[in-house]
Amino acid sequence: MLRDRARIEVADLEQPLDLVPAGSVDVVVASLVLHYIEDWMPLLAELRRCLVPGGLLVFSVHHPITGWELSDKTDYHRVELVSEQWDWDGQPVTGRMYRRPLSAIFGALRQAGFWIDVVDEPRPQAGVRDADPRITKILATMPVFLYVRAGPTR
Ligand SMILES: C[S@@+](CC[C@H](N)C(=O)[O-])C[C@H]1O[C@@H](n2cnc3c(N)ncnc32)[C@H](O)[C@@H]1O
């Protein structure tokens, strides 16, 4: 339970944000969220503003190769909306997300004033139990997610 140790806010990340004072956040974590945002620049500028010197932005997105496979492959270099069909307990769901080339991901970070600390393509850790073997095999052998850790430049 977080009780009064956390302040919970709900915000649309595509709208202008001004949630916290400048230089007041140690770590921003965005797990599988940024690929739903078309224009990263206003959001990255806001996250950069909020971070303390030496702070970190840690995020995961769908791997660009996955997005490319979902696209009509007309132009790798553009940012584009792609969609994917998911099966949620027998219920068909269409997910829509923005695919962007690697240069757009890291170019936007640089332009917003971040340096890149870690880039990872995570795979399941050995010994993880109770995982669906089919999903585990996909995650172990295919490019599914991209993890990035970045920090504000001075
Ligand atoms: C795939 S879920 C990830 C949820 C969770 N972070 C995780 O890793 O399990 C994508 C999340 O992005 C959020 N999201 C998508 N577009 C958003 C937007 N414009 N503003 C704020 N959140 C958004 C959705 O509400 C959803 O919670």
Side-chain angles (χ1 to χ4, degrees):
M1 289 290 278
L2 292 170
R3 294 205 178 88
D4 59 355
R5 288 176 294 166
R7 198 180 90 198
I8 310 289
E9 304 259 0
V10 178
D12 181 351
L13 299 176
E14 293 193 288
Q15 300 302 317
L17 295 174
D18 188 14
L19 293 176
V20 294
S24 63
V25 174
D26 294 321
V27 181
V28 172
V29 179
S31 164
L32 299 176
V33 173
L34 294 184
H35 47 251
Y36 297 104
I37 308 299
E38 182 174 14
D39 181 3
W40 280 16
M41 290 316 299
L43 177 58
L44 288 180
E46 174 61 8
L47 300 182
R48 170 76 176 75
R49 184 190 71 81
C50 293
L51 281 171
V52 298
L56 289 172
L57 165 62
V58 182
F59 68 89
S60 58
V61 288
H62 287 182
H63 197 288
I65 291 178
T66 316
W68 177 241
E69 290 300 328
L70 293 172
S71 81
D72 65 8
K73 299 187 176 168
T74 303
D75 178 5
Y76 168 77
H77 297 284
R78 72 183 178 194
V79 176
E80 65 180 332
L81 194 60
V82 295
S83 63
E84 188 175 22
Q85 298 295 321
W86 294 319
D87 179 344
W88 285 3
D89 293 330
Q91 174 116 3
V93 172
T94 303
R96 291 186 182 78
M97 64 225 63
Y98 290 94
R99 176 200 74 77
R100 64 193 75 224
L102 284 169
S103 55
I105 294 173
F106 296 106
L109 285 165
R110 271 184 63 107
Q111 204 182 324
F114 287 93
W115 60 278
I116 314 302
D117 182 26
V118 175
V119 176
D120 200 4
E121 295 165 298
R123 286 173 287 175
Q125 292 176 339
V128 173
R129 296 192 304 182
D130 302 329
D132 179 335
R134 193 182 61 88
I135 304 279
T136 302
K137 184 168 183 210
I138 290 171
L139 292 174
T141 57
M142 296 182 188
V144 180
F145 300 124
L146 184 72
Y147 281 16
V148 178
R149 188 167 75 193
T153 52
R154 274 184 237 169

